[in-house]
Amino acid sequence: MSATPLPAHRDSWERRLLDHPDLLGDIAFAIGGPFHLMYPARVERNIHAFRAVMREAGIAGVVYYGKKANKSPCVTRACANAGAGVDVSSTGELTAALAHGIRGADLMVTGPAKSDELLWLALRHGALIAMDSVQELDRVTALAAATGPARALLRVLPTGSTSRFGMTADELAVAVALIDREGGPVGLAGFSFHLSGYDPVARAEQACELIDRCIEARALGHDASTISIGGGFAVDYLPERAWREFTDGVDGEWFHSGKRFDSFYPYHHPAPGPAMLSTILEHGDLAARLRGNGIRLAIEPGRALLDRAGSTVFRVQGVKTRSAHGEPYRLLTVDGTSLSLSEQWFDSEYLPDPVLWPRRSGDPTPTCVGAATCLESDMLSWRRIPLPRAATTGDLLVYPNTAGYQMDSNESAFHELPIPPKVVIDDAEGDRLRWRLDA
């Protein structure tokens, strides 16, 4: 019994690659194992789309790429080319961002209880630092006396939140009072917050609270001219109709070995990425409040800047036929692991259908996809995907839109299998595509 099909949105670069008779196969031959495809031009396009929303709203704003979403150097370079900043949370992320073109002033450093080494580097390079606690502010103040002035955002714990991150109202009052207003080592640049989920109204209302905090801080003599509303901008992976048919009809009989899932990531969103930012700015006329108070808006998207900027490719190296509920289906083994589809490791399933390459005629065939390890649970697709034909050994499976968190947030050389490399796809003259290893 096949599950309902879930074909992903696809960009022209992907269509060109899949339609080319040789290019994908040549890359697979050269790599000799699973690999990730990256198309950095799409990252730049996504940055410009967010910027266009800010420009249309008439606000000052800056885009910081949430680097944790993908380690690829080509993404950081795309941010540098497009004039975006980068949000980092470790010395490794910070040094990698600098190495691939991001200026220190265009870095935002976030995360809890940052190491002294990270803070020292951030201060040396003039990065904006989001303070998570009063104790961290004390540490930065001491370090800044030796390294030079610090630019600080104070991270706010949203009302009603049980997050371990951010400061309560009482802690914020202490932090503001500790910052010297007369040329001290730390300057209060503004406030920040992060929210889970994809509710634009909640973000807009929390942003209004941060504007009020900036106004109060200015009355005390602080600059306080920036607010950051964090990331969490939705991505639209699938057409609405396909997603609705799946969610309305999801059936336990669709999954290998009777596997059950309690929830799935929302793979369809009616107002993703830049459209979500537009909705945030419209609610309560947030854009007017930002303009009227001379406040700059910072955002920290990760997944949304990587939308349709990458895919993951596996080679089929084994095929079995199994049956369930009286019907046969294919059970494939590929040459990689589900650590390259990170959603599988959150007790869920990465749902956009893989594309079977090369394209040939055949009969639709329900197919599940297993990995090359000895773990029973290591499945790339528990769901019986309706592939357009029966897959055979040597075929490629291309999982779409995996650049955002999927392809390397859980990477591991388990079984001493090589970590899949990243292959960068670039445009060339004559509507051609070229490829190179990411470096």
Side-chain angles (χ1 to χ4, degrees):
M1 182 178 184
S2 288
T4 186
L6 291 171
H9 295 302
R10 191 171 299 136
D11 266 14
S12 62
W13 74 271
E14 296 170 286
R15 290 192 293 269
R16 289 157 62 199
L17 183 65
L18 292 167
D19 289 345
H20 195 285
D22 302 312
L23 183 55
L24 190 61
D26 288 347
I27 296 171
F29 176 79
I31 300 300
F35 58 94
H36 305 299
L37 296 167
M38 296 296 302
Y39 184 66
R42 176 68 201 218
V43 176
E44 294 191 40
R45 197 179 313 156
N46 291 337
I47 292 169
H48 292 314
F50 275 103
R51 281 239 190 83
V53 171
M54 294 175 174
R55 190 166 54 248
E56 185 175 340
I59 65 167
V62 60
V63 178
Y64 291 94
Y65 164 57
K67 197 176 187 310
K68 62 183 178 293
N70 191 295
K71 304 177 183 71
S72 172
C74 78
V75 175
T76 305
R77 186 174 291 273
C79 291
N81 289 336
V86 173
D87 163 30
V88 300
S89 298
S90 70
T91 55
E93 288 185 342
L94 191 152
T95 54
L98 292 171
H100 293 99
I102 303 299
R103 300 178 180 93
D106 296 325
L107 290 171
M108 182 188 293
V109 181
T110 60
K114 304 167 193 65
S115 70
D116 285 345
E117 179 69 10
L118 175 58
L119 292 174
W120 183 83
L121 278 173
L123 290 166
R124 292 283 296 174
H125 289 281
L128 182 61
I129 305 175
M131 308 290 182
D132 192 59
S133 68
V134 173
Q135 293 88 345
E136 187 166 76
L137 175 59
D138 288 337
R139 291 167 56 218
V140 167
T141 302
L143 286 167
T147 61
R151 296 184 298 138
L153 295 179
L154 300 182
R155 181 165 174 173
V156 175
L157 175 66
T159 303
S161 173
T162 59
S163 173
R164 66 187 178 94
F165 305 120
M167 288 183 263
T168 65
D170 289 343
E171 290 167 337
L172 287 166
V174 172
V176 171
L178 285 173
I179 296 177
D180 188 342
R181 294 162 291 182
E182 303 295 333
V186 178
L188 178 54
F191 299 87
S192 69
F193 71 85
H194 288 255
L195 289 176
S196 299
Y198 300 102
D199 182 0
V201 172
R203 280 171 171 75
E205 292 177 350
Q206 187 66 40
C208 285
E209 290 187 26
L210 264 58
I211 292 174
D212 292 338
R213 289 193 178 278
C214 285
I215 294 170
E216 292 168 3
R218 285 174 176 179
L220 297 172
H222 297 288
D223 172 58
S225 59
T226 297
I227 65 169
S228 174
I229 62 173
F233 291 90
V235 168
D236 187 37
Y237 291 81
L238 303 168
E240 178 184 7
R241 180 176 177 180
W243 180 240
R244 187 174 63 248
E245 288 178 354
F246 173 81
T247 53
D248 288 349
V250 64
D251 189 323
E253 295 186 359
W254 287 354
F255 298 90
H256 171 67
S257 193
K259 181 70 173 178
R260 300 274 178 172
F261 296 101
D262 293 328
S263 64
F264 299 100
Y265 179 87
Y267 286 98
H268 168 72
H269 198 282
M276 181 175 166
L277 176 60
S278 182
T279 302
I280 292 169
L281 291 172
E282 290 169 1
H283 181 78
D285 213 358
L286 174 60
R289 290 207 66 198
L290 291 166
R291 291 194 304 268
N293 289 284
I295 292 176
R296 183 182 73 153
L297 178 71
I299 59 173
E300 304 163 38
R303 189 190 297 259
L305 292 190
L306 297 162
D307 184 22
R308 308 183 202 185
S311 301
T312 299
V313 184
F314 302 94
R315 186 186 297 278
V316 177
Q317 60 185 26
V319 180
K320 293 180 178 179
T321 299
R322 291 290 184 263
S323 63
H325 317 291
E327 298 182 16
Y329 67 96
R330 284 286 176 106
L331 180 58
L332 309 181
T333 297
V334 297
D335 57 357
T337 80
S338 60
L339 291 162
S340 296
L341 286 179
S342 296
E343 196 67 34
Q344 314 303 80
W345 291 85
F346 294 99
D347 196 27
S348 191
E349 176 97 329
Y350 188 71
L351 291 176
D353 287 349
V355 176
L356 182 61
W357 192 93
R359 292 169 168 172
R360 292 194 291 265
S361 60
D363 296 323
T365 304
T367 304
C368 297
V369 184
T373 74
C374 61
L375 298 177
E376 191 73 52
S377 60
D378 194 0
M379 295 285 293
L380 281 77
S381 294
W382 293 88
R383 184 172 61 98
R384 295 189 185 90
I385 299 162
L387 290 183
R389 64 172 174 84
T392 60
T393 301
D395 286 342
L396 301 179
L397 284 177
V398 183
Y399 281 82
N401 211 354
T402 57
Y405 288 106
Q406 295 302 319
M407 62 173 57
D408 66 6
S409 64
N410 280 348
E411 65 184 3
S412 168
F414 184 58
H415 272 316
E416 298 191 29
L417 292 168
I419 292 173
K422 291 187 175 72
V423 172
V424 180
I425 301 297
D426 292 318
D427 295 296
E429 291 184 8
D431 198 35
R432 294 184 303 119
L433 295 174
R434 287 178 171 171
W435 71 275
R436 57 188 168 87
L437 289 177
D438 196 17

